[in-house]
Amino acid sequence: MGTVLTGATICTASGAFRADLRLEGETVDSVGFGLARPGDAVVDLPDRLLLPGAVDVHTHFDLPLTTTSTADDFASGTAAALLGGTTTVVDYATAFRGQSAAEGIEAWHGRADGRAFCDYAFHLALTDWKGSLAEELPSVIDGGISSFKLYMAYKGSLQVDDGALYAAARRIGELGGLLCVHCENGDLVAARAEELVASGVTGPAGHPLSRPASVEAEAVGRMIAIADLARCPLYVVHVSAERSMREIVMARRRGQPLFAETCPQYLLLDEGRYGREGLKAAAFVLAPPLRSAADGRALWGRLARGEIDTVATDHCSFTLAQKAVGLDDFRLIPNGLPGVEHRLVLLYSEGVAKGRLSLERFVDSCCTAPARLFGLRGKGSLEPGSDGDVVVFDPRVEWVLSASNQHHRTDYTPYEGLAVKGRVESVFLRGRRLVDGGTLLDGTPRGRYRRRQPFSKGVRP
Ligand code: DUC
Ligand code: ZN
């Protein structure tokens, strides 16, 4: 027995069209007309859009920092994701200094297994580089983790130097992996932050001053050169500034395998938030910081033209009490914003409904391209044979985002009071309806760990 969704518009990365979609078992069985078989459930969905389950390739759930942990763990984070139409997340498992890759990955499985409401996979973030890690990488890739992250920022904790970036990139490239890099010059950030604090600038307004766009763009340019020398495909995470995009576009024109991700916060929010007092500014501290409104406009253009490949959230959530720890020294404010629940509606409402983004680019950047780049077979597409991950989206509903109606485990949302158009009505994960009318239908965490293909093997739905 299957389920036939009728009367809606099917939205894909290459076009939108009226057709029915039949789910059977865990997959999309067929797309077309007259699909119902005896015993099928038929669901009539006039005026709705059917989207592939969205894929968020940048989350930090249950991430331990020196003094605190992120507010969302895998249970709350993946529940919020699913309610917002994201059926797969790729979280950054981290091997902290002194840990082996296997130890880092095992710890992340321990955090996620049996708790996730949507499907999930891991990248592996490496916080140093040594021979033993190089030896471990083939078995990591065999375990379905085919992308790796290195940080050029966070001096003294996550940051690695250029030699390590180069050596890791050589190894990852040779193994057919994809290298994700946080591009900000951590030495410059640390020096400027110290200078600011010494001159009496200690509040949250100091945070963006310590890491301006030039600090990001320099690191992007340097990393592009390193990846080119190392012959390693590069994915630049959370690009926030037009200056960085210029570096990326130039290198792509030279033929380098290079991909760019941005996040809703860089498209929709700007540095004006840091001009407010105390917690009102601290709530918006993340790295890279919010930029100018002109940067946001330029990023929309780059996304619409396909120069930015993906939109992910960098969901890394803290409560206001956690943010308050650094009110007198911005260096202590935990970096990050909540957002995994709101990505689809924000991109639809502020992008598609406002004419900044085509429906195709919306689907590609939020669903299809992330699945393809990160080797998630069966995800990000509504073609027959794909996983039955389907979002029923009602583009007519108007509502207001608020901390009071979100499911992130935070007491604020960066988008408080924003009126949006469009709402996730129901969500199917591998053929089973798990969300309807904006609520989870069952309290059982049904998310599964997904092994990913190496970048070099490509992926077909
Ligand atoms: N930036 C953030 O704002 N949070 C998590 C990690 C990062 O790089
Ligand atoms: Zn991140």
Side-chain angles (χ1 to χ4, degrees):
M1 196 183 96
T3 303
V4 182
L5 308 179
T6 70
T9 298
I10 298 199
C11 304
T12 76
S14 52
F17 51 90
R18 287 290 307 279
D20 300 343
L21 182 144
R22 183 170 186 275
L23 295 165
E24 185 172 300
E26 297 208 329
T27 58
V28 175
D29 166 67
S30 44
V31 174
F33 292 100
L35 306 177
R37 298 188 197 166
D40 279 356
V42 178
V43 187
D44 194 26
L45 297 166
D47 302 314
R48 313 302 204 284
L49 306 178
L50 296 189
L51 312 172
V55 179
D56 189 343
V57 292
H58 192 156
T59 64
H60 301 279
F61 296 146
D62 209 349
L63 176 69
L65 307 179
T66 338
T67 53
T68 190
S69 266
T70 51
D72 281 296
D73 59 15
F74 273 86
S76 64
T78 56
L82 198 66
L83 284 156
T86 289
T87 48
T88 311
V89 297
V90 187
D91 197 80
Y92 279 100
T94 303
F96 293 104
R97 283 195 185 155
Q99 279 188 316
S100 66
E103 284 165 341
I105 292 165
E106 195 190 326
W108 249 260
H109 277 297
R111 291 176 162 92
D113 294 355
R115 295 197 182 90
F117 286 83
C118 69
D119 282 358
Y120 62 97
F122 300 139
H123 313 273
L124 179 64
L126 300 168
T127 54
D128 61 4
W129 182 250
K130 53 191 178 202
S132 57
L133 285 171
E135 281 166 28
E136 272 192 281
L137 290 200
S139 68
V140 172
I141 292 176
D142 281 349
I145 298 178
S146 52
S147 50
F148 301 88
K149 185 181 194 183
L150 293 162
Y151 288 85
M152 298 171 90
Y154 297 117
K155 190 171 179 173
S157 56
L158 304 172
Q159 183 176 333
V160 296
D161 66 19
D162 290 359
L165 288 167
Y166 175 72
R170 284 284 280 182
R171 182 70 174 143
I172 291 164
E174 135 194 315
L175 295 172
L178 179 61
L179 175 58
C180 306
V181 183
H182 175 132
C183 296
E184 286 184 294
N185 182 324
D187 286 9
L188 277 180
V189 173
R192 284 179 64 84
E194 202 175 309
E195 212 171 63
L196 283 156
V197 170
S199 69
V201 182
T202 56
H207 174 76
L209 299 175
S210 70
R211 43 209 324 151
S214 55
V215 162
E216 178 183 317
E218 182 279 329
V220 169
R222 183 158 39 101
M223 191 60 230
I224 286 171
I226 293 170
D228 189 33
L229 289 169
R231 302 170 69 83
C232 182
L234 174 64
Y235 177 93
V236 183
V237 300
H238 50 45
V239 178
S240 69
E242 169 60 3
R243 283 180 73 150
S244 305
M245 278 312 302
R246 287 198 199 122
E247 301 282 344
I248 289 169
V249 168
M250 269 190 322
R252 274 183 150 176
R253 288 195 185 129
R254 294 194 298 266
Q256 195 165 337
L258 181 54
F259 309 95
E261 168 195 283
T262 194
C263 310
Q265 54 269 30
Y266 301 120
L267 294 163
L268 296 171
L269 305 172
D270 68 52
E271 62 199 0
R273 305 286 172 150
Y274 300 120
R276 300 174 179 189
E277 281 306 305
L279 270 182
K280 289 205 168 88
F284 291 88
V285 163
L286 82 165
L290 302 176
R291 304 294 186 196
S292 68
D295 278 298
R297 283 191 295 276
L299 293 179
W300 275 114
R302 301 280 191 190
L303 179 62
R305 292 195 294 278
E307 292 160 349
I308 292 175
D309 300 274
T310 61
V311 178
T313 58
D314 194 10
H315 179 99
C316 188
S317 59
F318 300 98
T319 62
L320 291 174
Q322 289 178 292
K323 292 281 189 183
V325 166
L327 279 181
D328 296 327
D329 182 344
F330 65 84
R331 295 172 296 184
L332 304 178
I333 303 172
N335 285 196
L337 298 187
V340 74
E341 183 175 359
H342 292 148
R343 180 179 59 130
L344 267 195
V345 69
L346 288 171
L347 268 286
Y348 182 85
S349 181
E350 294 288 314
V352 181
K354 290 197 170 165
R356 288 159 157 161
L357 202 61
S358 68
L359 204 45
E360 289 81 0
R361 286 292 308 134
F362 165 63
V363 172
D364 196 39
S365 59
C366 292
C367 313
T368 311
R372 184 181 65 246
L373 286 173
F374 288 96
L376 281 159
R377 192 180 276 166
K379 300 296 189 187
S381 155
L382 292 176
E383 282 177 27
S386 301
D387 282 12
D389 296 355
V390 185
V391 176
V392 179
F393 191 84
D394 189 337
R396 301 162 302 177
V397 178
E398 298 186 19
W399 59 296
V400 177
L401 301 187
S402 167
S404 62
N405 61 21
Q406 70 173 356
H407 299 85
H408 303 136
R409 206 181 271 161
T410 55
D411 44 3
Y412 78 101
T413 162
Y415 306 101
E416 184 69 39
L418 183 71
V420 288
K421 198 153 187 240
R423 187 162 207 165
V424 171
E425 185 176 286
S426 42
V427 181
F428 293 78
L429 177 68
R430 283 178 276 101
R432 184 195 284 257
R433 190 179 351 208
L434 294 182
V435 170
D436 198 29
T439 49
L440 275 179
L441 293 178
D442 123 33
T444 314
R446 297 184 187 277
R448 276 192 207 144
Y449 174 66
R450 304 296 297 230
R451 288 166 187 261
R452 297 185 291 111
Q453 293 289 300
F455 177 80
S456 59
K457 296 237 168 94
V459 69
R460 283 161 44 80

